[in-house]
Amino acid sequence: DTEVTQTPKHLVMGMTNKKSLKCEQHMGHRAMYWYKQKAKKPPELMFVYSYEKLSINESVPSRFSPECPNSSLLNLHLHALQPEDSALYLCASSQVRGYGYTFGSGTRLTVV
Amino acid sequence: DAKTTQPNSMESNEEEPVHLPCNHSTISGTDYIHWYRQLPSQGPEYVIHGLTSNVNNRMASLAIAEDRKSSTLILHRATLRDAAVYYCILRDPTNSGYALNFGKGTSLLVTP
């Protein structure tokens, strides 16, 4: 298995909702990442997990809460989002200090 | 991470070679040069990486200048499926941050 699987592919949520994005990989990668991508912009790093521990938080607002329950799973919990948080959320994985990242196809999030 | 400079856009004819340039004049001795591409509605995809020597794989070739201050990604025969945004990224695997940080990239248009 050489894929990163993200679910759901599309999500529409209200500003008072709580939802979660899920990311899964079975390549034995011990580093996992969340990126946010606005339309026609490059991906922006949000969080990095290494060996299931949060190693980088790029000053992301607390309404985004990441979780890495095991070495194959990465979640992003969403609460009280704003319309400007609407974007494509990408998950990626790699070997720790590895050269090739594998990205999922993303979850397209719309906040209404 | 050191900064890279790429043209905003390039255009190529189908079945012609494409040379995508990247300038990185402040590259450090331990920075690897990575190329990723992002097709429409997909997550980024690893293309190739190198340190000093030219590199070839099934997708592309990477030509690195002798002083390492610039590099060129070469697609030998462009197809319509190669239309994507191409990102040149420097990354030092010895850096504890070990995360990809994307610049603006080059949007490649391939015409029949």
Side-chain angles (χ1 to χ4, degrees):
Chain A
D1 189 351
T2 59
E3 290 188 345
V4 170
T5 302
Q6 290 189 244
T7 54
K9 293 198 181 306
H10 301 273
L11 178 62
V12 179
M13 62 184 290
M15 290 188 285
T16 58
N17 291 159
K18 286 184 181 181
K19 296 286 185 184
S20 296
L21 309 184
K22 180 180 173 182
C23 173
E24 192 167 6
Q25 58 88 15
H26 297 286
M27 294 176 280
H29 291 170
R30 300 301 297 277
M32 297 186 76
Y33 313 84
W34 281 115
Y35 286 82
K36 172 183 177 179
Q37 186 173 27
K38 302 283 276 185
K40 299 195 182 301
K41 298 290 187 183
E44 296 178 10
L45 183 66
M46 299 175 72
F47 302 105
V48 179
Y49 272 83
S50 178
Y51 299 110
E52 295 84 68
K53 293 192 188 313
L54 182 65
S55 60
I56 294 178
N57 176 341
E58 292 285 359
S59 303
V60 178
S62 60
R63 57 185 184 269
F64 296 91
S65 175
E67 177 196 23
C68 190
N70 61 56
S71 60
S72 300
L73 278 176
L74 186 65
N75 298 320
L76 187 62
H77 303 297
L78 314 172
H79 172 57
L81 295 193
Q82 303 298 309
E84 58 265 29
D85 296 321
S86 298
L88 180 68
Y89 288 84
L90 293 161
C91 175
S93 72
S94 74
Q95 298 290 355
V96 174
R97 301 182 192 275
Y99 297 107
Y101 283 40
T102 303
F103 283 81
S105 295
T107 293
R108 189 160 300 281
L109 174 69
T110 303
V111 182
V112 297
Chain B
D1 292 331
K3 185 177 171 58
T4 62
T5 304
Q6 299 178 252
N8 288 334
S9 62
M10 291 185 64
E11 191 169 338
S12 173
N13 295 321
E14 196 176 12
E15 299 188 6
E16 294 290 320
V18 181
H19 291 235
L20 297 163
C22 181
N23 288 321
H24 28 79
S25 58
T26 60
I27 190 170
S28 74
T30 51
D31 281 331
Y32 279 73
I33 303 159
H34 296 252
W35 283 84
Y36 281 74
R37 71 178 185 180
Q38 188 171 19
L39 281 64
S41 302
Q42 294 190 27
E45 173 187 31
Y46 167 82
V47 177
I48 201 165
H49 78 277
L51 182 62
T52 56
S53 303
N54 295 344
V55 184
N56 300 297
N57 66 21
R58 64 175 181 81
M59 290 181 69
S61 296
L62 176 59
I64 302 172
E66 197 168 332
D67 64 4
R68 299 207 330 122
K69 293 186 176 182
S70 66
S71 61
T72 302
L73 179 71
I74 303 165
L75 306 180
H76 296 285
R77 274 179 87 241
T79 69
L80 296 178
R81 293 192 307 164
D82 290 322
V85 179
Y86 287 78
Y87 297 100
C88 170
I89 305 168
L90 302 183
R91 182 169 161 268
D92 179 358
T94 65
N95 187 314
S96 61
Y98 47 83
L100 288 176
N101 287 297
F102 289 79
K104 295 180 181 179
T106 296
S107 180
L108 176 65
L109 175 66
V110 180
T111 53

